Amino acid sequence: MIARLLLPACLLGIVGCSDLHHLRNDNPLLPVREYEQMIVGRLDADYVGDENCLGKCHSHQPIHDDFRRSVHGEQIASDTGLPLVNCESCHGPGSLTIKNVGSNKKDKCKFDTLLQLDQLPAQAQSLICLKCHSASSTPVLTYWNAGPHANNDVSCFDCHALHLGPQQKVGRKEMDAMCFTCHPEVRAEFAQFSHHPVPEHRMACIDCHEPHGSAQDHLLRGLTRKDTCTRCHMEYQGPFVFEHADLNENCGNCHVSHGSPNRPLLKSSQPFLCMQCHSGHLGEYMPTLEEGNTAMKGAFYTRCTDCHSSIHGTDVPSSRGRGTFIAR
C-alpha cells in the first residue's frame, strides 16, 4: 500500500527535476511580442516632429491646439524635464506621410503610412499608452494586464478620447453613460428606489472603482470593501467597543452597492434582513403578551433600527455588559 502511494510522488519528482531548465527559462507571453511589432510603425520612415507635420496640413490645427493645452502637450516643452510626447509618439513616424505634400493643394497626406490605430487589437492599442504610462504617472497600471478590462478587450481608447478637447478623458457627468455601454445591468440597478446619486451626477463611477486596475474584486478602491465605503461614510469606520460581529469588514453583507428597492440600499427589508441571522425578540427577550394584548407587538416586529439605531457599532454597553447597538 505504501509503495502504491510513493510511486506517483517519485514519478512527479523525476518529471519536475528533468523540467527545471524549462521552468527557469524566461517565457514571455508570445502575443505581447506580436503587439509590440504592430505599434512600431513603418521602419523605413523617420520622425519629423509636429511642426513639419502640421505645417503641411492646416486641417489638423484645431486638434493641435487642443493637444497643446492638454497634459500631453505640456510635455513637449523642454523646460519641463518630462519625456517628449507629440503626435508621432502615438501615430508613428510621419516622414512618408508628408513626403509628397507641397504647395499644390491637391497633394494630400498619405495617412495609410501611419499606424492604423482603429484597426489594431485592443491589447496593441493599450500598449501604445503603456509604453509611457507603465513606467510613470499611474501606479495602478500595475494591475492593468491582469484586470477585467484588459481581459475583455477594452483598450485605453475606449475611455480616453485624446482628440476631443484638452481634457483627454471623459468628464464626470458623462462617465456613467460611458460605463453603462458595457455594464447595462448596473444602469438597471441605479434605477431602483434607493441608489447612490450617480444618475444625479453627485457621484461618479471612479469614486468607488479604479478602472485601470485594483487588488480588490470589482476594481474597488481602497484596501478592503469597508475602506472603500468609509471614505464617504466615515461615521461607520470605527473601531467600536461593540462591533457587529462578522459584518464589520464587509458592508456588502447587508447592503448592495448600486441600488435596491429597500432603503438604505439594503438587500432585503427589515426586520427580515436582520432575522436571517437573529431570531428576533423571542423567549426571554419578548415581553409577556396576554391574550388579546397587542400593545407591544408592533414595536417588536417593525424596523430593528427604530431601537437599535447604532447598528454598525457602538461604544455604549447594555445593562448586561454587552452592546445592544442602542444609542443612549
Side-chain angles (χ1 to χ4, degrees):
M1 182 65 182
I2 297 177
R4 290 181 179 179
L5 295 175
L6 292 178
L7 182 59
C10 295
L11 292 175
L12 289 174
I14 294 173
V15 173
C17 293
S18 63
D19 205 29
L20 284 178
H21 179 71
H22 175 72
L23 293 175
R24 290 175 177 172
N25 282 340
D26 183 17
N27 297 309
L29 295 175
L30 294 179
V32 174
R33 289 183 175 177
E34 296 176 3
Y35 296 147
E36 289 177 346
Q37 293 175 2
M38 292 179 184
I39 65 175
V40 169
R42 291 281 295 266
L43 298 179
D44 54 342
D46 295 321
Y47 292 95
V48 294
D50 282 359
E51 296 302 326
N52 289 325
C53 234
L54 295 168
K56 302 288 186 178
C57 180
H58 295 284
S59 62
H60 295 307
Q61 197 61 42
I63 295 177
H64 186 245
D65 291 341
D66 287 339
F67 183 83
R68 282 195 173 276
R69 293 195 297 268
S70 69
V71 175
H72 287 132
E74 294 177 353
Q75 295 177 286
I76 294 179
S78 58
D79 55 347
T80 62
L82 297 170
L84 176 65
V85 178
N86 60 10
C87 303
E88 292 175 303
S89 300
C90 299
H91 293 281
S95 62
L96 296 179
T97 308
I98 63 172
K99 180 178 180 181
N100 297 322
V101 178
S103 58
N104 190 352
K105 295 183 179 180
K106 294 183 180 180
D107 298 331
K108 295 183 179 180
C109 296
K110 299 178 66 175
F111 296 109
D112 56 345
T113 61
L114 297 173
L115 286 174
Q116 303 301 305
L117 301 180
D118 57 339
Q119 299 179 14
L120 294 177
Q123 292 85 349
Q125 291 178 350
S126 296
L127 273 181
I128 293 176
C129 304
L130 290 172
K131 64 184 180 182
C132 294
H133 285 278
S134 60
S136 62
S137 76
T138 312
V140 292
L141 283 172
T142 305
Y143 301 104
W144 172 259
N145 288 326
H149 281 149
N151 289 327
N152 286 279
D153 292 335
V154 176
S155 77
C156 306
F157 299 165
D158 292 325
C159 301
H160 297 275
L162 301 187
H163 293 313
L164 293 180
Q167 188 66 21
Q168 298 200 339
K169 59 183 179 181
V170 67
R172 290 177 62 88
K173 291 186 177 181
E174 297 80 22
M175 186 173 299
D176 56 337
M178 181 192 69
C179 296
F180 290 158
T181 57
C182 295
H183 303 280
E185 73 284 357
V186 179
R187 180 197 296 270
E189 292 172 358
F190 277 119
Q192 297 284 349
F193 172 74
S194 178
H195 60 263
H196 277 115
V198 171
E200 293 78 14
H201 303 303
R202 287 186 288 161
M203 284 184 64
C205 303
I206 59 171
D207 291 334
C208 299
H209 302 278
E210 174 49 67
H212 300 104
S214 169
Q216 283 202 70
D217 291 336
H218 308 295
L219 295 177
L220 288 176
R221 295 180 179 270
L223 300 176
T224 63
R225 186 161 185 169
K226 180 182 178 181
D227 182 38
T228 303
C229 299
T230 52
R231 292 185 175 194
C232 295
H233 304 281
M234 292 178 285
E235 68 274 20
Y236 304 132
Q237 186 172 8
F240 301 103
V241 176
F242 303 101
E243 296 182 335
H244 202 154
D246 297 332
L247 307 182
N248 186 52
E249 289 301 323
N250 190 355
C251 307
N253 287 325
C254 297
H255 301 275
V256 294
S257 302
H258 301 119
S260 168
N262 307 295
R263 192 189 294 256
L265 291 173
L266 293 178
K267 286 188 171 181
S268 61
S269 60
Q270 298 187 57
F272 307 108
L273 175 68
C274 303
M275 294 180 72
Q276 292 178 12
C277 297
H278 305 281
S279 59
H281 287 281
L282 302 175
E284 60 177 322
Y285 299 105
M286 184 66 181
T288 303
L289 296 179
E290 300 176 358
E291 185 176 355
N293 182 9
T294 59
M296 295 291 293
K297 191 172 183 180
F300 279 83
Y301 289 100
T302 55
R303 295 183 307 175
C304 304
T305 52
D306 287 344
C307 295
H308 302 277
S309 55
S310 299
I311 200 67
H312 295 92
T314 180
D315 298 326
V316 180
S318 65
S319 59
R320 301 187 181 186
R322 299 178 301 178
T324 54
F325 304 101
I326 297 178
R328 302 180 184 180

